[in-house]
Amino acid sequence: MDEQYGASGWATSNIRLLVGTPDANKDGIPDIWTLRADGAVRFYAGSRGEMAHSGVEIVGNSDDGWRNKMTTG
């Protein structure tokens, strides 16, 4: 059964790419990386319930950030 993980802000108009990864911060819970429509890259540490935080900005959107990038290596 699917469960809601985030209540709002996760539409494709806000987030161009969403990638789930194994545990990047070593807390035993898989994490999420996003490429936002404004070009910013954000890291969301996983949790056992709804993701109620806005994540951590890893790449800012100055100079369009990753807005016009097509892929990562």
Side-chain angles (χ1 to χ4, degrees):
M1 177 171 121
D2 291 337
E3 294 186 31
Q4 183 170 312
Y5 197 63
S8 64
W10 293 88
T12 56
S13 58
N14 296 326
I15 297 179
R16 288 182 38 207
L17 176 67
L18 180 143
V19 177
T21 62
D23 183 22
N25 64 348
K26 308 284 188 221
D27 66 357
I29 303 170
D31 303 310
I32 296 173
W33 297 80
T34 65
L35 171 57
R36 299 182 54 82
D38 66 2
V41 174
R42 297 190 77 80
F43 170 76
Y44 297 82
S47 68
R48 300 210 186 279
E50 182 177 331
M51 187 171 295
H53 57 84
S54 60
V56 176
E57 189 167 270
I58 303 299
V59 176
N61 62 359
S62 61
D63 298 324
D64 287 337
W66 277 72
R67 182 184 309 218
N68 299 315
K69 308 302 187 278
M70 297 300 290
T71 188
T72 59

